[in-house]
Amino acid sequence: MPIRKPTIGRFSILDAARKGLRDMLLHGNYLLRVGAVPMVASVATAVLLSLNTQGDVFNLIANFLWTLPAEIFLGWFLFVYARLLVLGERVDRLDSDVDFRRQRQQLLRASVMIFVLFKMLMAGSHHFFLWVMENRTPDGDMPLKMATLVWMGLLFWALRLGALPVLAAVDYPLKRFMLGAHGAGLSFQLFALWLICFVMPQMLTWSFADSLAKSLNLGLQTQVAIMGFFGFIF
């Protein structure tokens, strides 16, 4: 059975956020079932990383290698979620056609690989930001300031790359998307959508989980596990 390719057009930020919340509630039980393993992997990884108190540059590579299994699981979950919302596909009701399954497996590999590469880019950007904050001087360093401004501009442009794993999952031509993604408007829309759908819920749930853990006088690792659990849910 051939995979139907969706079309992409302009979207409303609030409508997209509202539809995402509605679909999450509608398919909540199914998403919790398929997301159980990625959730456990993410929480376990967060707990393991909390045991590491070293702060050397080598941790950029070491930490990412530690998180790689969890990132692969998250990439798989994003693939499943995207195909559910766009194509109405469920992993427990897959078509038995051999060609369909082969094509789906190819899309899965591509989507997960792009997702992992994007997370590598974000991890590297995060460590670069930390390095800048540690090496800035009160009087300012012009080359460092210029490099930071260039980095911020490139990072803002690169926000659109976060859509590529989803597009790859539903077999939308990536080249067509990149050629059509002109200007800063798309980055602004994706950034606003990220704030509404990810940052704000994460801040609320982490604050609740942190208060709960502290009120129960739990250890650091238990706090991280609780915050990781609630963070994955949202």
Side-chain angles (χ1 to χ4, degrees):
M1 182 182 72
I3 295 178
R4 174 173 58 88
K5 295 185 179 181
T7 57
I8 293 180
R10 295 181 180 274
F11 67 91
S12 165
I13 296 172
L14 293 180
D15 286 345
R18 190 182 304 114
K19 186 177 184 299
L21 178 60
R22 184 198 66 192
D23 290 335
M24 183 185 72
L25 296 175
L26 179 64
H27 303 289
N29 291 334
Y30 168 74
L31 293 175
L32 284 176
R33 290 200 307 273
V34 299
V37 173
M39 179 178 65
V40 170
S42 298
V43 172
T45 301
V47 172
L48 287 173
L49 290 179
S50 70
L51 299 173
N52 184 7
T53 58
Q54 298 180 1
D56 50 64
V57 179
F58 177 72
N59 279 351
L60 170 60
I61 300 175
N63 286 354
F64 188 81
L65 291 177
W66 273 105
T67 61
L68 186 57
E71 298 292 8
I72 292 175
F73 278 120
L74 286 175
W76 173 83
F77 179 75
L78 179 64
F79 174 86
V80 171
Y81 196 4
R83 291 179 68 84
L84 170 69
L85 298 184
V86 179
L87 305 176
E89 178 187 280
R90 296 170 64 103
V91 294
D92 53 352
R93 302 174 187 173
L94 291 179
D95 194 293
S96 58
D97 182 75
V98 176
D99 291 335
F100 166 79
R101 287 181 174 262
R102 183 183 299 111
Q103 184 181 7
R104 184 181 182 277
Q105 191 67 24
Q106 292 173 350
L107 296 177
L108 172 61
R109 287 195 294 267
S111 178
V112 172
M113 183 179 300
I114 295 172
F115 176 79
V116 171
L117 291 175
F118 178 74
K119 294 303 291 285
M120 288 177 62
L121 174 64
M122 293 297 103
S125 299
H126 175 69
H127 279 264
F128 176 76
F129 174 76
L130 294 179
W131 179 82
V132 169
M133 297 301 293
E134 291 176 357
N135 290 274
R136 62 178 180 173
T137 59
D139 297 333
D141 186 340
M142 186 55 66
L144 185 59
K145 286 184 177 180
M146 293 299 297
T148 303
L149 290 175
V150 172
W151 166 76
M152 291 178 63
L154 291 175
L155 183 62
F156 185 74
W157 179 89
L159 288 176
R160 66 196 64 197
L161 301 180
L164 296 184
V166 175
L167 299 177
V170 297
D171 199 21
Y172 187 88
L174 303 185
K175 183 177 180 180
R176 182 192 303 175
F177 169 76
M178 294 303 297
L179 291 177
H182 298 299
L186 179 62
S187 292
F188 275 114
Q189 286 182 306
L190 292 176
F191 181 71
L193 197 61
W194 175 67
L195 288 177
I196 295 173
C197 295
F198 182 78
V199 175
M200 293 174 62
Q202 286 277 16
M203 291 177 63
L204 292 174
T205 53
W206 284 355
S207 177
F208 168 76
D210 183 57
S211 300
L212 176 64
K214 289 181 178 178
S215 65
L216 297 176
N217 197 26
L218 301 175
L220 174 61
Q221 280 69 47
T222 307
Q223 293 182 35
V224 171
I226 294 175
M227 293 172 67
F229 169 76
F230 282 103
F232 182 86
I233 295 298
F234 283 91

